[in-house]
Amino acid sequence: MAGKNEFYWRRLHSLLGVIPVGVFLVQHLVINHFATSGEEAFNKAAGFVEGLPFLIFLEFIVIYIPLLFHGILGIYIAFVAKNNPIRLGWFRNWMFTIQRITGIILLAFIAWHVYQTRIQAALGNAEVNFQMMEDILSNPLVLILYILGILSATFHLSNGLWSFLVRWGITQSPTSQRISSWVMGVLFVVLSIIGVRAALAFVFPDFFVG
Ligand code: HEM
């Protein structure tokens, strides 16, 4: 990848990370959070998504194809592309490195998660509902790995939004970038609480539902 072509590929990679993949992640975490209101509430929310017309078609267009593109090009960027071409401070350097590490963790985590849920359902081995997630997460090691996966995703999206705003020329001044760091920091905390609470609700429902 060189010159102008690389510029457009990186722009497409960046855009797909936010729309549709980032938007999907937020929607997915919010639907999962219905688990904190109990089995029935979760099954109803998940059932709404399951009932959407042309679901498999929608999933490929909105999730799998953009995510595969972002993931494969992400691996290339993380391992092959020149690292950190701009001079960054200590904090941003770390954020930049963790962005790449969480991307690689996400590739493995998402493949595993899709295998345990969507693929098992497609093979007729399980049904996507509260019970399925309770069975999966009742193993403490799996629960810990899921929480790590969720935190990787919330970090990767929040920090990714920070660099997205810089890349697309929206935050150019040091002040706007500092404000954006704080906003994305808050976003990371909020999304992480939503995601982790949802995961815990499948295993400790009594703690959440009175
Ligand atoms: C939940 C799934 C994912 C979401 C929501 C997501 C979102 C994002 C966002 C918003 C960005 C910032 C784009 C920019 O800098 O303009 C980004 C960057 C990045 N993503 Fe992802 N991503 C996901 C999965 C992955 C996966 C599976 C990989 C595979 C390695 C990956 C690798 C990368 C890399 C390497 C960057 C940095 C690009 C750069 O420095 O130019 N991402 N991602």
Side-chain angles (χ1 to χ4, degrees):
M1 257 200 308
K4 230 180 165 154
N5 270 347
E6 169 154 4
F7 174 85
Y8 290 118
W9 284 115
R10 296 284 289 256
R11 280 285 163 121
L12 184 59
H13 177 259
S14 164
L15 186 64
L16 291 178
V18 178
I19 304 165
V21 180
V23 174
F24 167 75
L25 175 63
V26 174
Q27 174 263 336
H28 191 50
L29 294 177
V30 169
I31 295 277
N32 291 346
H33 194 258
F34 277 87
T36 60
S37 302
E39 179 162 356
E40 207 186 310
F42 174 79
N43 284 344
K44 210 167 143 195
F48 169 75
V49 177
E50 292 290 307
L52 288 176
F54 311 112
L55 183 64
I56 187 75
F57 179 72
L58 273 177
E59 280 182 334
F60 269 89
I61 299 291
V62 178
I63 313 166
Y64 299 132
I65 295 172
L67 185 59
L68 261 182
F69 179 90
H70 181 91
I72 291 169
L73 194 52
I75 291 281
Y76 172 84
I77 293 169
F79 287 109
V80 185
K82 218 164 75 188
N83 260 2
N84 209 348
I86 332 152
R87 232 179 241 242
L88 300 170
W90 176 87
F91 174 71
R92 272 296 140 206
N93 241 320
W94 270 107
M95 296 295 106
F96 180 89
T97 305
I98 302 173
Q99 182 72 10
R100 284 158 189 233
I101 295 172
T102 51
I104 293 158
I105 294 175
L106 279 175
L107 203 60
F109 174 66
I110 295 169
W112 182 45
H113 178 52
V114 171
Y115 172 78
Q116 285 186 312
T117 54
R118 278 275 162 257
I119 296 185
Q120 290 312 312
L123 293 175
N125 296 336
E127 216 181 296
V128 179
N129 56 23
F130 190 98
Q131 184 65 48
M132 170 194 248
M133 290 317 298
E134 191 180 347
D135 292 343
I136 291 174
L137 297 174
S138 58
N139 177 332
L141 179 63
V142 173
L143 179 63
I144 291 170
L145 292 177
Y146 260 73
I147 290 176
L148 275 178
I150 292 165
L151 294 179
S152 296
T154 54
F155 176 89
H156 192 88
L157 176 61
S158 313
N159 188 56
L161 278 175
W162 184 89
S163 61
F164 172 89
L165 293 177
V166 176
R167 189 181 304 279
W168 291 82
I170 300 164
T171 48
Q172 289 190 326
S173 69
T175 311
S176 61
Q177 290 180 8
R178 213 170 313 119
I179 295 170
S180 168
S181 286
W182 281 103
V183 173
M184 297 317 165
V186 171
L187 182 71
F188 168 64
V189 173
V190 171
L191 289 179
S192 299
I193 291 173
I194 294 174
V196 172
R197 270 172 61 87
L200 293 176
F202 289 105
V203 196
F204 308 107
D206 297 342
F207 183 79
F208 293 92
V209 191

